[in-house]
């Protein structure tokens, strides 16, 4: 199926927890949600002031909130059970530059009492100015440091797409500038990180990656241009990458991922063949 959008998409995400709907952030700042089954549009909203694209969208683990990054702010919307946007809840302000990534804190699988969901509705954002900031989503207030809480650790985040932070400090090569890593995606099982860069490369690291000049598998080269994005697909067996000027989407198979250990560099990626 093909989803005909009114303008170009700058970000996408699936609804949680079952992927029954998806969201597209547009270059106009508009946000659309649609049913995964038939791509029927469920709702539309406007994020920001309409002058900036929606560069990142991320659904909370429970599926009840959607965070949208437009310019230097992040808008948080309430989401209905079918994926319809029910209204703006809060706006997170305070970034000094454009927000590029959003990640939600994962709630505990056990022991969360009724009414305590707000305690876990935390966001992590990274910006073009290399800021790593934290927010309480329902109120839009900035959080000083969630890692001060004893129940929050490196593996506490539902996703990790930020190129910044202690958990990914080892992905940066010597002499790299702020654009040295374009995109980061952590595998669903939390064991691996894939990165893409302006040298047309993909690299696989163990997660967490906390040592300087960390070992990696790769680099893997197939694109004829810079690679703005690379993400793990559901199940962690494949990585999808999107090229820039080459306008190419490629699918990579991750070899040995199911048996990889967090401290071992034992994975590899197989490049797509021309006829695949």
């Amino acid at each position: 199926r093909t989803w005909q959008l009114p303008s170009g998409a700058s970000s996408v995400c699936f609804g949680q927890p079952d992927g029954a709907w998806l969201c597209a952030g547009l270059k106009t700042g508009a946000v659309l949600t649609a049913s995964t089954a038939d791509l029927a549009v469920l709702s539309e909203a406007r994020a920001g002031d309409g002058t900036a694209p929606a560069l990142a969208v991320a659904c909370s683990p429970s599926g009840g909130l959607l965070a949208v990054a437009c310019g230097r702010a992040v808008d948080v919307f309430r989401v209905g059970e079918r994926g319809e946007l029910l209204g703006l809840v809060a706006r997170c302000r305070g970034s000094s530059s454009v927000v590029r990534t959003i990640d939600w804190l994962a709630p505990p699988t056990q022991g969360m009492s009724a009414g305590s969901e707000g305690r876990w509705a935390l966001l992590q954002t990274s910006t073009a100015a290399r800021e790593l900031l934290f927010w309480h989503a329902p109120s839009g207030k900035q959080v000083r440091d969630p890692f001060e809480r004893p129940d929050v650790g490196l593996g506490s985040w539902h996703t990790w797409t930020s190129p910044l932070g202690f958990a990914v400090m080892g992905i940066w090569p010597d002499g790299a500038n702020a654009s040295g890593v374009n995109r980061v995606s952590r595998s669903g099982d939390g064991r691996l990180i894939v990165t893409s860069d302006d040298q047309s490369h993909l690299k696989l690291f163990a997660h967490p990656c906390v040592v300087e000049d960390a070992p990696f598998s790769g680099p893997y080269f197939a694109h004829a241009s810079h690679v703005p994005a690379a993400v793990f697909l559901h199940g962690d067996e494949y990585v999808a990458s999107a090229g820039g000027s080459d306008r190419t989407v490629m699918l990579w198979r991750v070899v040995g991922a199911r048996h990889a250990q967090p401290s071992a560099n034992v994975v590899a990626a197989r490049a797509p063949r021309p006829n695949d």
Side-chain angles (χ1 to χ4, degrees), residues 3 8 30 42 47 90 106 129 136 157 162 164 178 190 197 223 227 231 236 240 266 271:
W3 189 7
L42 300 172
H136 180 244
W157 297 94
S162 169
L164 307 174
D197 57 38
H223 286 280
V227 187
V231 296
D236 299 337
V266 295

Side-chain angles (χ1 to χ4, degrees), residues 27-269:
K27 293 181 178 180
T28 61
V31 183
L32 299 176
T33 62
S35 167
T36 304
D38 56 9
L39 296 182
V41 175
L42 300 172
S43 61
E44 180 177 356
R46 176 72 60 177
D49 59 7
T51 62
L55 288 182
V57 290
C59 183
S60 65
S62 67
L65 296 173
L66 178 74
V68 183
C70 276
R72 294 185 295 176
V74 176
D75 284 355
V76 181
F77 293 89
R78 181 73 61 186
V79 183
E81 293 183 358
R82 297 189 306 113
E84 66 276 17
L85 300 176
L86 302 179
L88 184 66
V89 175
R91 178 165 289 169
C92 306
R93 299 177 182 269
S95 303
S96 67
S97 185
V98 174
V99 179
R100 289 182 170 176
T101 69
I102 304 172
D103 295 292
W104 287 88
L105 188 70
T109 56
Q110 297 178 355
M112 188 167 67
S113 60
S116 65
E117 292 86 351
R119 171 178 168 81
W120 296 93
L122 299 182
L123 295 173
Q124 169 182 271
T125 63
S126 67
T127 74
R130 304 188 75 172
E131 299 168 300
L132 185 64
L133 304 175
F134 306 95
W135 314 87
H136 180 244
S139 66
K141 294 181 178 180
Q142 190 170 350
V143 177
R144 180 170 176 266
D145 185 1
F147 292 102
E148 291 181 345
R149 287 168 38 175
D151 49 7
V152 176
L154 294 181
S156 298
W157 297 94
H158 182 60
T159 59
W160 192 292
T161 58
S162 169
L164 307 174
F166 184 75
V168 293
M169 57 184 274
I171 68 175
W172 290 88
D174 291 338
N177 57 25
S179 60
V181 178
N182 291 331
R183 181 65 185 260
V184 171
S185 176
R186 190 194 65 196
S187 60
D189 63 8
R191 293 177 177 268
L192 302 173
I193 300 170
V194 62
T195 68
S196 61
D197 57 38
D198 282 348
Q199 284 69 50
S200 308
H201 293 155
L202 270 68
K203 298 177 182 177
L204 277 173
F205 295 85
H207 177 270
C209 186
V210 298
V211 296
E212 185 177 2
D213 296 325
F216 59 87
S217 182
Y220 301 104
F221 174 83
H223 286 280
S225 173
H226 66 290
V227 187
V231 296
F232 277 95
L233 301 184
H234 180 71
D236 299 337
E237 294 185 16
Y238 294 93
V239 168
S241 60
S245 299
D246 65 7
R247 298 186 177 184
T248 301
V249 176
M250 295 191 178
L251 189 65
W252 307 72
R253 184 164 66 90
V254 182
V255 181
R258 291 185 179 276
H259 307 289
Q261 297 299 320
S263 60
N265 180 33
V266 295
V267 298

